[in-house]
Amino acid sequence: MPSAAIQPQRLDTLIVVGAPSPFSPADLDTEVFRSLVTASRRVASVCTGVFLLAALGVLDRRKVTTHWRYVDRLRQDYPSVRVDGEQVFVQDGDIWTSAGITAGIDLAIALIEVDHGIDLARAVAREMVVYHRRAGGQSQFSTLGDLAPASDRIRNVLAYVRENVMRPIRVDDMARVACISSRQFARVFKRETGESPARAIERIRVEIARDRIESGSESLEKIAGLSGFVDPERMRRAFIRIIGRPPCAIRQAGRN
């Protein structure tokens, strides 16, 4: 059937899935694909699926995300698209985009929540045995995942740090959780994580603070206390060391 003869009925949500590598415009039957987009109440993409939408020009001046591996390519190929390479998923009006495969699950549960309420979204999350749900503003990157220690004892230490982040955390406390001497601990921790204990604590605090900044309206002073920084200035210096941007810039970016 000629593509011009296809007249899709009104669609609710069109979800464009990704592929192991980004699609190119040559992969598209542009006329058919554009008719599907036009016929849809909203459009979403998972991972590299965003490249198909960008090729149609429907993302010009829109804020989107994609898998971190392809952020630079998306920016280069489509400079008129506003690419946020850090968030799990992004909504810009009737366009929703997600970072990767698991981020697509977060996006789908968010769509259910928008359409049918939080109770159904939670029920779906429970049925799928997934967390309800990572907020769209959360970063694609996880400190605990990046550190990826090899042993349970160091994983237990990192969990201890996260659970006690508001308290002063000493190396002696961490060594006690790991069940090794304080003298051994720093060497073992560095070997397994690639970071010093102090640096790892700072990274975890920055991640916790950033999640609160991006997903809520608490004051920076309150967030600094809840994430163990004591005061906003110490938090600001840590953000610049770890992320390269101060907390106020993170908050402003989330509002744009």
Side-chain angles (χ1 to χ4, degrees):
M1 179 182 296
S3 62
I6 298 177
Q7 298 294 330
Q9 297 179 349
R10 183 65 178 168
L11 304 176
D12 182 82
T13 303
L14 175 67
I15 300 179
V16 183
V17 299
S21 60
F23 296 99
S24 71
D27 298 319
L28 286 174
D29 185 330
T30 305
E31 186 175 350
V32 170
F33 197 73
R34 183 174 282 111
S35 69
L36 291 171
V37 171
T38 302
S40 302
R41 176 173 69 91
R42 69 184 167 202
V43 178
S45 70
V46 178
C47 195
T48 57
V50 71
F51 280 80
L52 289 177
L53 297 173
L56 290 177
V58 300
L59 300 183
D60 289 353
R61 294 179 297 281
R62 297 277 197 150
K63 184 178 179 182
V64 305
T65 192
T66 190
H67 191 284
W68 59 266
R69 190 182 302 277
Y70 299 107
V71 164
D72 290 341
R73 178 169 170 181
L74 185 62
R75 286 176 176 150
Q76 180 179 344
D77 291 354
Y78 302 100
S80 61
V81 177
R82 297 164 54 212
V83 183
D84 184 329
E86 297 186 356
Q87 296 194 30
V88 173
F89 66 84
V90 169
Q91 178 193 6
D92 188 335
D94 57 354
I95 301 288
W96 295 65
T97 53
S98 65
I101 295 173
T102 56
I105 296 173
D106 295 305
L107 181 148
I109 293 174
L111 294 178
I112 292 170
E113 183 174 328
V114 168
D115 289 352
H116 302 288
I118 192 169
D119 290 341
L120 181 59
R122 283 176 175 160
V124 171
R126 283 197 300 271
E127 186 69 22
M128 297 178 66
V129 197
V130 296
Y131 174 70
H132 177 268
R133 66 180 160 78
R134 289 185 296 172
Q138 286 193 353
S139 172
Q140 294 187 37
F141 307 100
S142 166
T143 296
L144 298 188
D146 286 346
L147 295 175
S151 68
D152 286 341
R153 64 185 177 185
I154 301 300
R155 282 193 287 270
N156 290 339
V157 169
L158 293 175
Y160 169 83
V161 171
R162 194 168 183 89
E163 291 167 4
N164 294 274
V165 71
M166 291 177 61
R167 297 176 44 211
I169 299 173
R170 304 175 304 161
V171 170
D172 287 349
D173 298 326
M174 300 168 77
R176 176 177 48 80
V177 173
C179 298
I180 55 179
S181 70
S182 298
R183 175 176 289 184
Q184 287 180 292
F185 176 76
R187 184 174 65 254
V188 172
F189 189 91
K190 175 77 171 181
R191 185 176 69 239
E192 292 202 21
T193 68
E195 297 279 13
S196 70
R199 178 74 167 184
I201 292 170
E202 185 176 67
R203 287 185 59 185
I204 289 170
R205 284 179 167 151
V206 166
E207 181 175 74
I208 289 171
R210 180 175 185 163
D211 285 348
R212 299 188 81 101
I213 290 169
E214 292 178 330
S215 60
S217 57
E218 297 166 316
S219 69
L220 294 182
E221 184 173 4
K222 181 178 181 180
I223 291 172
L226 291 173
S227 52
F229 283 114
V230 182
D231 62 65
E233 177 56 26
R234 293 185 191 183
M235 182 171 73
R236 186 190 70 81
R237 292 198 299 266
F239 265 63
I240 291 173
R241 279 193 296 270
I242 301 297
I243 300 175
R245 292 188 290 170
C248 58
I250 301 293
R251 171 154 284 172
Q252 186 59 42
R255 291 172 176 169
N256 291 338

